[in-house]
């Protein structure tokens, strides 16, 4: 497991071979964040992308297409936060050019995710509950 310093950023541009993508969250190498424009990164500097699956049908389609582009660019870790039916975090790692599920964190239960940085998460705590 890497112990290199990282920066967790939202709304940044990630340059992939097929164009510019804006993940909901990106974890980048801290040295790259300090050396570059902090809103624009090459895929090589990105350790993890996280996507929050949109509740709209068109947004869901887009959010489900992005992982193949991230995989092609070699981004090693992908997290996908599903909001429905209950908040669930799907943790994936790149293996042989494709993302493979490594863990599924469910709302109401704290799960330890070790890569690319250790974090304990309860997906239910990440989402504001509707009243």
């Amino acid at each position: 497991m890497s112990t290199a310093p990282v920066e967790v950023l939202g709304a940044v541009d990630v340059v992939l071979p097929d164009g510019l993508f804006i993940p909901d969250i990106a974890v980048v190498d801290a040295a790259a964040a300090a050396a570059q424009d902090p809103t624009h990164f090459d895929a090589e500097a990105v350790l993890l992308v996280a996507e929050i699956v949109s509740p709209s049908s068109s947004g869901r389609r887009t959010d489900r297409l992005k992982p193949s582009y991230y995989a092609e660019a070699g981004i090693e870790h992908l997290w996908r936060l599903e909001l429905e039916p209950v908040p669930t975090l799907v943790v994936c790692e790149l293996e042989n050019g494709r993302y493979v599920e490594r863990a599924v964190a469910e709302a109401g239960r704290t799960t330890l995710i070790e890569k690319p940085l250790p974090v304990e998460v309860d997906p239910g705590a990440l989402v504001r509950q509707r009243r």
Side-chain angles (χ1 to χ4, degrees):
M1 177 171 51
S2 171
T3 57
V6 298
E7 294 282 333
V8 179
L9 306 168
V12 298
D13 301 332
V14 176
V15 181
L16 305 179
D18 288 320
L20 192 69
F21 283 66
I22 304 171
D24 293 312
I25 299 170
V27 176
V28 300
D29 178 84
Q36 298 182 26
D37 171 352
T39 63
H40 195 84
F41 295 92
D42 290 330
E44 296 82 31
V46 179
L47 306 173
L48 160 73
V49 290
E51 291 290 346
I52 301 168
V53 178
S54 173
S56 74
S57 60
S58 63
R60 273 194 307 273
R61 278 192 301 273
T62 301
D63 291 336
R64 299 220 188 273
L65 290 173
K66 288 180 180 181
S68 63
Y69 293 100
Y70 295 144
E72 184 179 327
I75 297 173
E76 192 170 345
H77 299 276
L78 168 76
W79 294 358
R80 187 180 73 242
L81 180 61
E82 301 276 351
L83 300 176
E84 296 175 351
V86 296
T88 304
L89 182 65
V90 180
V91 177
C92 301
E93 187 172 3
L94 194 60
E95 184 176 290
N96 298 320
R98 300 184 70 179
Y99 287 114
V100 176
E101 274 186 26
R102 297 293 187 211
V104 176
E106 299 173 345
R109 188 174 66 191
T110 301
T111 301
L112 173 64
I113 301 167
E114 296 189 29
K115 293 181 181 179
L117 62 154
V119 62
E120 290 186 343
V121 64
D122 172 356
L126 300 175
V127 179
R128 184 179 321 163
Q129 300 300 315
R130 295 183 191 146
R131 296 178 193 237

